[in-house]
Amino acid sequence: MPKKKILVVCGAGAATSTVVAEKVRVFLEGLGIDADLQQCKAAEAATRSDGVDLIVSTTRLPADFTMPVVHAVSLLTGVGVDATYRQIESALINP
Amino acid sequence: MPMPTMILDERLVLLDAVQADATGVISALADRLFELGLVRPDFKENVLAREVEHPTGLEGMYCRFALAHTESTYVTQSALAMARPVLPVAFERMDGEDGPVLVELVFVLALDSKGHLEVLSSLAQHLQQPGYVQQLLGATDPADVLALLAEL
């Protein structure tokens, strides 16, 4: 599988997305999926999404995207975290 | 793992907070952070503005909480402040879902550099543990809350 490019988005693109990106990184490592994770703020998501395979976001996004978007507040709360990981996995394995 | 330069202080713990809305609770904590010299004068207005633009209300498994924060440029020294309102306070949800979440634990994080993001991560992790949440919700003394926050 070629290296996957993932954009991790939160409101300001600094704090929350760092926490979420780290969790996604560890999860993908466990699956043996090679990924390049980048972070940005919600307002930049549209312009940063070129060539991105998957967007993982903790916040509502202002635009429609051609690639899958997984909402990942669960990675902060623990509620529904398995479902979120399954969505991330299937978005990367069966795009 | 406790951060050596992460300030925890009893004056940053408000149990039985009486402020009735998110702005009031965040302001009270931000004022304390400023009084202790941990944040710049404009920290409060920035954390409030950020909460409006990017809300932090979250519904966890064992409690509903908010993790208000803002950029490190407004922070002099990393610190964590917490309020437990007498009555749950409405925060908008981080994921933008409709309807506010009635928050039982309000955290204001003053993070001075990226390294301290571990605190945010650790806090979210601890708030997924029922025993930890129960102790925070039931604590009667700020010192007990500090001991719990020192575990982060």
Side-chain angles (χ1 to χ4, degrees):
Chain A
M1 196 184 329
K3 192 165 190 165
K4 298 293 185 180
K5 197 171 164 194
I6 302 173
L7 194 59
V8 182
V9 183
C10 72
T16 312
S17 58
T18 304
V19 173
V20 169
E22 175 63 14
K23 287 182 180 294
V24 173
R25 191 186 62 74
V26 170
F27 171 70
L28 294 179
E29 246 175 41
L31 293 178
I33 293 178
D34 195 15
D36 167 28
L37 286 109
Q38 295 190 2
Q39 296 167 232
C40 77
K41 57 174 87 174
E44 294 171 351
T47 54
R48 293 279 304 271
S49 64
D50 267 3
V52 163
D53 297 292
L54 168 68
I55 294 175
V56 177
S57 179
T58 59
T59 187
R60 180 178 278 177
L61 293 178
D64 285 334
F65 295 92
T66 52
M67 66 289 297
V69 177
V70 171
H71 292 280
V73 157
S74 66
L75 300 186
L76 295 171
T77 64
V79 179
V81 64
D82 291 342
T84 301
Y85 280 139
R86 276 198 301 275
Q87 287 170 16
I88 291 171
E89 184 179 358
S90 64
L92 292 176
I93 290 175
N94 311 302
Chain B
M1 187 170 47
M3 296 285 140
T5 55
M6 178 86 183
I7 301 294
L8 298 171
D9 188 296
E10 288 194 17
R11 288 166 288 182
L12 299 175
V13 176
L14 302 178
L15 300 179
D16 308 316
V18 296
Q19 294 78 14
D21 57 23
T23 299
V25 181
I26 292 172
S27 296
L29 292 176
D31 285 343
R32 295 289 180 97
L33 285 163
F34 177 64
E35 286 159 20
L36 291 178
L38 303 170
V39 297
R40 289 185 8 184
D42 47 1
F43 174 83
K44 179 164 82 170
E45 80 182 73
N46 278 280
V47 75
L48 286 172
R50 195 188 179 287
E51 186 66 27
V52 170
E53 207 178 339
H54 308 297
T56 63
L58 290 164
E59 188 151 10
M61 257 181 285
Y62 307 105
C63 73
R64 299 174 298 271
F65 57 96
L67 304 173
H69 57 276
T70 189
E71 285 81 10
S72 57
T73 45
Y74 306 106
V75 175
T76 311
Q77 196 166 1
S78 278
L80 180 57
M82 190 198 93
R84 196 180 62 196
V86 174
L87 295 173
V89 167
F91 274 72
E92 297 301 320
R93 295 173 191 264
M94 185 183 285
D95 59 11
E97 292 297 313
D98 287 339
V101 55
L102 290 171
V103 163
E104 300 151 288
L105 296 173
V106 179
F107 297 90
V108 172
L109 295 96
L111 303 170
D112 74 357
S113 70
K114 282 217 157 190
H116 293 286
L117 290 175
E118 289 165 35
V119 172
L120 180 61
S121 181
S122 178
L123 179 58
Q125 218 56 47
H126 278 73
L127 292 174
Q128 296 174 28
Q129 298 167 15
Y132 189 83
V133 172
Q134 213 163 29
Q135 289 183 72
L136 277 183
L137 291 174
T140 52
D141 191 322
D144 298 335
V145 172
L146 288 191
L148 290 163
L149 298 182
E151 291 177 23
L152 298 177

